[in-house]
Every structure is written in structure tokens, then in C-alpha cells.
Amino acid sequence: MKKNPILFVLSLSLLFSAPLRAQNTLSVANIEASAGKTIMVPVGMSNADEIVAAQFDIALPYALDGDMVLTNRGNGHTVSCRSLGNNVYTVIVVSMEGKTLRGNDGTLVTIPIKVDPAAVEGDYAYITLTNAVLAKRDGSNACTGTA
């Protein structure tokens, strides 16, 4: 059987010419919690690019219960948040020196929330991330998604 080498070469050139875009995402893991307890909600960042700052809105099912904690991915960064009402917060992670956040995968910030004492075991409470920005040194938003 005669093979068509032109088709094979064309297929390879299409494969290697397709634009590759780095993946830079924020996510919240599924966690289990008990009624009336304070839990730490991890917000993870997976980044292929060098990221110098992050900003996102997070809608929590229950009240914030303490300060947000920046993990060791920070590199002279600080974390701050502003309430938008109804348990929705804007979170900002920034370095005034413009340093790059450490690592490429893992928890960036943990957020303490107090689970409602009337929460029923087995019920789901949803946490959503919106308006995410993962800033590169040039100020462009490298965020490719949230989960």
C-alpha cells in the first residue's frame, strides 16, 4: 500500500503551527465541613507564565471568619480583601516591588469561613470565583480560566 507523505507532512505542520497558549488558572477545591466549624478554603493557582499579582472576586456560602492567609507562594506579597456585601469579596495579592509569585502550582491563599451551625450534612454549598486577573509583569491579564 502506497502512503501519501505529503499528507503526513501537512498534518505535522498543522499540529506544530497551532498556537499554544499557556494555562494560568485559579481554582477552589472541593472540601468537606462540619456545621458550626471554621474551615480554611484553599484558592489554588496553576500558572505557566510568571505572575506578579492576582485579583479575583469570591462568593462564599458562609461568613468570613478571620484573615485570609497568603501561602509560601508569596514573595514579598500581601493579601487583602474588600467586602462587596452578601459574602462576596474582592481579593488582591500584590507585591509593591513587582516580584513574581513563587512556583507554578499549588494553594495561593487560604480563606477562613464559619460554616452555618444549621448546615445539614451532605448538603452542598458553592464557592464561585469571578473577575479573575493573573497579572504578568507587563500588566497584561494572563488568566485563562477559573474552576
Side-chain angles (χ1 to χ4, degrees), residues 58-64 82-89 126 128:
I58 188 166
L60 301 170
Y62 308 113
L64 193 63
R82 187 181 112 217
S83 174
L84 301 177
N86 297 320
N87 293 331
V88 178
Y89 299 88
Y126 295 96
T128 56

PDB file of all heavy atoms in Angstrom, residues 58-64 82-89 126 128:
ATOM      1  N   ILE A  58     -14.638  36.416  45.049  1.00  0.00           N
ATOM      2  CA  ILE A  58     -15.036  35.102  45.534  1.00  0.00           C
ATOM      3  C   ILE A  58     -16.348  35.236  46.292  1.00  0.00           C
ATOM      4  O   ILE A  58     -16.495  36.112  47.145  1.00  0.00           O
ATOM      5  CB  ILE A  58     -13.930  34.444  46.408  1.00  0.00           C
ATOM      6  CG1 ILE A  58     -14.291  33.007  46.744  1.00  0.00           C
ATOM      7  CG2 ILE A  58     -13.606  35.279  47.638  1.00  0.00           C
ATOM      8  CD1 ILE A  58     -13.136  32.176  47.291  1.00  0.00           C
ATOM      9  N   ALA A  59     -17.307  34.404  45.912  1.00  0.00           N
ATOM     10  CA  ALA A  59     -18.604  34.360  46.589  1.00  0.00           C
ATOM     11  C   ALA A  59     -18.592  33.156  47.521  1.00  0.00           C
ATOM     12  O   ALA A  59     -18.447  32.014  47.061  1.00  0.00           O
ATOM     13  CB  ALA A  59     -19.729  34.243  45.573  1.00  0.00           C
ATOM     14  N   LEU A  60     -18.711  33.434  48.804  1.00  0.00           N
ATOM     15  CA  LEU A  60     -18.654  32.391  49.830  1.00  0.00           C
ATOM     16  C   LEU A  60     -20.061  32.062  50.318  1.00  0.00           C
ATOM     17  O   LEU A  60     -20.915  32.949  50.406  1.00  0.00           O
ATOM     18  CB  LEU A  60     -17.796  32.852  51.005  1.00  0.00           C
ATOM     19  CG  LEU A  60     -16.344  33.208  50.670  1.00  0.00           C
ATOM     20  CD1 LEU A  60     -15.669  33.873  51.857  1.00  0.00           C
ATOM     21  CD2 LEU A  60     -15.586  31.969  50.232  1.00  0.00           C
ATOM     22  N   PRO A  61     -20.313  30.816  50.676  1.00  0.00           N
ATOM     23  CA  PRO A  61     -21.644  30.446  51.162  1.00  0.00           C
ATOM     24  C   PRO A  61     -21.889  30.878  52.605  1.00  0.00           C
ATOM     25  O   PRO A  61     -23.034  30.955  53.044  1.00  0.00           O
ATOM     26  CB  PRO A  61     -21.653  28.930  51.039  1.00  0.00           C
ATOM     27  CG  PRO A  61     -20.218  28.542  51.177  1.00  0.00           C
ATOM     28  CD  PRO A  61     -19.440  29.662  50.547  1.00  0.00           C
ATOM     29  N   TYR A  62     -20.810  31.130  53.325  1.00  0.00           N
ATOM     30  CA  TYR A  62     -20.904  31.499  54.736  1.00  0.00           C
ATOM     31  C   TYR A  62     -19.976  32.671  55.013  1.00  0.00           C
ATOM     32  O   TYR A  62     -19.151  33.048  54.184  1.00  0.00           O
ATOM     33  CB  TYR A  62     -20.522  30.307  55.639  1.00  0.00           C
ATOM     34  CG  TYR A  62     -21.283  29.049  55.323  1.00  0.00           C
ATOM     35  CD1 TYR A  62     -20.636  27.933  54.800  1.00  0.00           C
ATOM     36  CD2 TYR A  62     -22.649  28.968  55.536  1.00  0.00           C
ATOM     37  CE1 TYR A  62     -21.339  26.775  54.500  1.00  0.00           C
ATOM     38  CE2 TYR A  62     -23.356  27.810  55.236  1.00  0.00           C
ATOM     39  CZ  TYR A  62     -22.696  26.724  54.717  1.00  0.00           C
ATOM     40  OH  TYR A  62     -23.390  25.587  54.419  1.00  0.00           O
ATOM     41  N   ALA A  63     -20.076  33.217  56.220  1.00  0.00           N
ATOM     42  CA  ALA A  63     -19.324  34.416  56.587  1.00  0.00           C
ATOM     43  C   ALA A  63     -17.821  34.153  56.706  1.00  0.00           C
ATOM     44  O   ALA A  63     -17.385  33.081  57.143  1.00  0.00           O
ATOM     45  CB  ALA A  63     -19.849  34.961  57.914  1.00  0.00           C
ATOM     46  N   LEU A  64     -17.057  35.150  56.320  1.00  0.00           N
ATOM     47  CA  LEU A  64     -15.608  35.146  56.530  1.00  0.00           C
ATOM     48  C   LEU A  64     -15.361  35.101  58.030  1.00  0.00           C
ATOM     49  O   LEU A  64     -16.062  35.759  58.802  1.00  0.00           O
ATOM     50  CB  LEU A  64     -15.025  36.423  55.922  1.00  0.00           C
ATOM     51  CG  LEU A  64     -13.527  36.520  55.739  1.00  0.00           C
ATOM     52  CD1 LEU A  64     -13.049  35.461  54.767  1.00  0.00           C
ATOM     53  CD2 LEU A  64     -13.162  37.892  55.214  1.00  0.00           C
ATOM     54  N   ARG A  82     -11.701  43.097  50.135  1.00  0.00           N
ATOM     55  CA  ARG A  82     -12.724  44.120  50.347  1.00  0.00           C
ATOM     56  C   ARG A  82     -14.078  43.452  50.185  1.00  0.00           C
ATOM     57  O   ARG A  82     -14.323  42.739  49.215  1.00  0.00           O
ATOM     58  CB  ARG A  82     -12.566  45.236  49.321  1.00  0.00           C
ATOM     59  CG  ARG A  82     -13.477  46.401  49.590  1.00  0.00           C
ATOM     60  CD  ARG A  82     -13.321  47.486  48.550  1.00  0.00           C
ATOM     61  NE  ARG A  82     -14.574  47.491  47.808  1.00  0.00           N
ATOM     62  CZ  ARG A  82     -14.703  47.689  46.527  1.00  0.00           C
ATOM     63  NH1 ARG A  82     -13.653  47.899  45.790  1.00  0.00           N
ATOM     64  NH2 ARG A  82     -15.874  47.673  45.962  1.00  0.00           N
ATOM     65  N   SER A  83     -14.962  43.682  51.141  1.00  0.00           N
ATOM     66  CA  SER A  83     -16.293  43.104  51.074  1.00  0.00           C
ATOM     67  C   SER A  83     -17.137  43.851  50.046  1.00  0.00           C
ATOM     68  O   SER A  83     -17.175  45.081  50.017  1.00  0.00           O
ATOM     69  CB  SER A  83     -16.975  43.183  52.438  1.00  0.00           C
ATOM     70  OG  SER A  83     -18.315  42.741  52.331  1.00  0.00           O
ATOM     71  N   LEU A  84     -17.820  43.077  49.211  1.00  0.00           N
ATOM     72  CA  LEU A  84     -18.773  43.647  48.262  1.00  0.00           C
ATOM     73  C   LEU A  84     -20.209  43.434  48.751  1.00  0.00           C
ATOM     74  O   LEU A  84     -21.157  43.807  48.076  1.00  0.00           O
ATOM     75  CB  LEU A  84     -18.590  43.005  46.881  1.00  0.00           C
ATOM     76  CG  LEU A  84     -17.204  43.147  46.253  1.00  0.00           C
ATOM     77  CD1 LEU A  84     -17.132  42.402  44.930  1.00  0.00           C
ATOM     78  CD2 LEU A  84     -16.843  44.610  46.065  1.00  0.00           C
ATOM     79  N   GLY A  85     -20.341  42.814  49.932  1.00  0.00           N
ATOM     80  CA  GLY A  85     -21.650  42.505  50.505  1.00  0.00           C
ATOM     81  C   GLY A  85     -22.083  41.087  50.173  1.00  0.00           C
ATOM     82  O   GLY A  85     -21.595  40.474  49.220  1.00  0.00           O
ATOM     83  N   ASN A  86     -23.003  40.560  50.962  1.00  0.00           N
ATOM     84  CA  ASN A  86     -23.560  39.213  50.754  1.00  0.00           C
ATOM     85  C   ASN A  86     -22.495  38.121  50.646  1.00  0.00           C
ATOM     86  O   ASN A  86     -22.596  37.214  49.813  1.00  0.00           O
ATOM     87  CB  ASN A  86     -24.463  39.183  49.521  1.00  0.00           C
ATOM     88  CG  ASN A  86     -25.665  40.087  49.686  1.00  0.00           C
ATOM     89  OD1 ASN A  86     -26.247  40.152  50.762  1.00  0.00           O
ATOM     90  ND2 ASN A  86     -26.011  40.805  48.633  1.00  0.00           N
ATOM     91  N   ASN A  87     -21.452  38.198  51.462  1.00  0.00           N
ATOM     92  CA  ASN A  87     -20.358  37.216  51.489  1.00  0.00           C
ATOM     93  C   ASN A  87     -19.586  37.129  50.171  1.00  0.00           C
ATOM     94  O   ASN A  87     -19.034  36.081  49.835  1.00  0.00           O
ATOM     95  CB  ASN A  87     -20.852  35.829  51.905  1.00  0.00           C
ATOM     96  CG  ASN A  87     -21.313  35.794  53.340  1.00  0.00           C
ATOM     97  OD1 ASN A  87     -20.830  36.548  54.176  1.00  0.00           O
ATOM     98  ND2 ASN A  87     -22.251  34.926  53.637  1.00  0.00           N
ATOM     99  N   VAL A  88     -19.549  38.217  49.431  1.00  0.00           N
ATOM    100  CA  VAL A  88     -18.740  38.306  48.210  1.00  0.00           C
ATOM    101  C   VAL A  88     -17.596  39.272  48.502  1.00  0.00           C
ATOM    102  O   VAL A  88     -17.806  40.358  49.054  1.00  0.00           O
ATOM    103  CB  VAL A  88     -19.564  38.798  47.004  1.00  0.00           C
ATOM    104  CG1 VAL A  88     -18.684  38.919  45.762  1.00  0.00           C
ATOM    105  CG2 VAL A  88     -20.734  37.860  46.749  1.00  0.00           C
ATOM    106  N   TYR A  89     -16.376  38.852  48.134  1.00  0.00           N
ATOM    107  CA  TYR A  89     -15.178  39.643  48.435  1.00  0.00           C
ATOM    108  C   TYR A  89     -14.298  39.768  47.200  1.00  0.00           C
ATOM    109  O   TYR A  89     -14.199  38.843  46.396  1.00  0.00           O
ATOM    110  CB  TYR A  89     -14.354  38.963  49.542  1.00  0.00           C
ATOM    111  CG  TYR A  89     -15.112  38.812  50.832  1.00  0.00           C
ATOM    112  CD1 TYR A  89     -15.908  37.697  51.062  1.00  0.00           C
ATOM    113  CD2 TYR A  89     -15.062  39.802  51.809  1.00  0.00           C
ATOM    114  CE1 TYR A  89     -16.619  37.560  52.230  1.00  0.00           C
ATOM    115  CE2 TYR A  89     -15.774  39.673  52.985  1.00  0.00           C
ATOM    116  CZ  TYR A  89     -16.560  38.554  53.190  1.00  0.00           C
ATOM    117  OH  TYR A  89     -17.272  38.425  54.348  1.00  0.00           O
ATOM    118  N   TYR A 126     -21.846  26.224  47.473  1.00  0.00           N
ATOM    119  CA  TYR A 126     -20.975  26.532  46.347  1.00  0.00           C
ATOM    120  C   TYR A 126     -20.157  27.792  46.578  1.00  0.00           C
ATOM    121  O   TYR A 126     -20.632  28.768  47.138  1.00  0.00           O
ATOM    122  CB  TYR A 126     -21.812  26.661  45.068  1.00  0.00           C
ATOM    123  CG  TYR A 126     -22.454  25.358  44.705  1.00  0.00           C
ATOM    124  CD1 TYR A 126     -23.766  25.079  45.075  1.00  0.00           C
ATOM    125  CD2 TYR A 126     -21.735  24.369  44.040  1.00  0.00           C
ATOM    126  CE1 TYR A 126     -24.345  23.855  44.771  1.00  0.00           C
ATOM    127  CE2 TYR A 126     -22.307  23.152  43.736  1.00  0.00           C
ATOM    128  CZ  TYR A 126     -23.610  22.909  44.099  1.00  0.00           C
ATOM    129  OH  TYR A 126     -24.167  21.696  43.794  1.00  0.00           O
ATOM    130  N   THR A 128     -17.790  30.404  44.320  1.00  0.00           N
ATOM    131  CA  THR A 128     -17.505  30.757  42.928  1.00  0.00           C
ATOM    132  C   THR A 128     -16.432  31.837  42.851  1.00  0.00           C
ATOM    133  O   THR A 128     -16.385  32.743  43.687  1.00  0.00           O
ATOM    134  CB  THR A 128     -18.760  31.242  42.182  1.00  0.00           C
ATOM    135  OG1 THR A 128     -19.331  32.336  42.901  1.00  0.00           O
ATOM    136  CG2 THR A 128     -19.791  30.145  42.060  1.00  0.00           C
TER     137      THR A 128
END
